[in-house]
Amino acid sequence: SSGSAGAPIQYFGPVSLNLSHLMVYGPGLQAGTADSTLNINVTGTATLANSGAAGPAPVAGSGTASISAGNIQLGGGTFAFSGVSATNLTAANEFTNLDDGTLHSSGQLTLASAVFDSAAGKDLSVIADGALLTKATGAVPTTFGKNVGPGGAFSLTGTNVSLGGNIVLRGGKVTASAVADASVAGSKSGTVEVTDHHRIERAVTRL
């Protein structure tokens, strides 16, 4: 069923899963105890989405959450990782935003993929209560973008924001906002490409 859970899905203690596909529909994932760790390896596509109301605001914690997949798709709505000090989402090939939504981590958030892209006209807000980092897992695939269109937008917010890897939003917009510092990695790390009426904005608030 594609209906969303009404509350965040909790995990307790060390949890390790190896799957062919993953679909999580709900307000998010929450570490149930201070030592809770979640490691999910997916050979195919991992989809995170919430078609219902947003859950409670993420709470700080010392748990961790890691999802590695061939592809990662965000299906819209507000999806949060709560009770964690670090969240890692890694897509070997493609990290795609499919619908308007928010991805939130209560700690540091690392997003890694060969390419980051978006469906046409869809806005994604990524919020880390700690540092936010995007980076490349490898070269851009020769074929990608089955669900991609023009005009997508990424808004990235964290205590520190470091943009690396290959972000491709044709005719779109990338905004990076940080309390301390925001930087776009050099060509050795990748590119931020929003060609055709492009906009790249950086907002830095120093305390």
Side-chain angles (χ1 to χ4, degrees):
S1 171
S2 61
S4 289
I9 299 170
Q10 290 187 304
Y11 57 93
F12 296 86
V15 177
S16 181
L17 300 172
N18 293 289
L19 308 169
S20 58
H21 295 279
L22 171 69
M23 293 182 290
V24 182
Y25 293 95
L29 295 167
Q30 181 173 0
T33 58
D35 60 349
S36 293
T37 61
L38 176 65
N39 291 285
I40 302 177
N41 294 299
V42 184
T43 56
T45 298
T47 301
L48 309 176
N50 179 21
S51 61
V59 296
S62 56
T64 62
S66 296
I67 299 175
S68 298
N71 301 289
I72 292 178
Q73 297 180 343
L74 301 181
T78 297
F79 193 97
F81 290 86
S82 182
V84 297
S85 60
T87 301
N88 297 285
L89 301 180
T90 302
N93 301 310
E94 192 172 1
F95 189 108
T96 304
N97 180 52
L98 297 177
D99 207 344
D100 295 334
T102 298
L103 177 67
H104 193 168
S105 172
S106 64
Q108 176 176 309
L109 176 59
T110 300
L111 305 178
S113 181
V115 63
F116 299 89
D117 51 31
S118 175
K122 300 304 180 181
D123 295 344
L124 171 65
S125 175
V126 180
I127 302 170
D129 293 344
L132 173 58
L133 170 69
T134 68
K135 62 181 183 179
T137 55
V140 176
T142 54
T143 58
F144 73 93
K146 177 181 178 181
N147 299 302
V148 171
F154 287 174
S155 172
L156 309 172
T157 303
T159 56
N160 297 278
V161 178
S162 178
L163 299 184
N166 303 292
I167 302 175
V168 180
L169 299 174
R170 300 186 183 280
K173 174 182 175 182
V174 176
T175 303
S177 304
V179 171
D181 189 21
S183 61
V184 176
S187 59
K188 291 183 179 179
S189 297
T191 60
V192 177
E193 181 181 352
V194 286
T195 55
D196 303 327
H197 308 294
H198 64 280
R199 292 182 66 184
I200 300 177
E201 297 183 357
R202 182 176 71 176
V204 180
T205 302
R206 299 186 183 276
L207 297 180

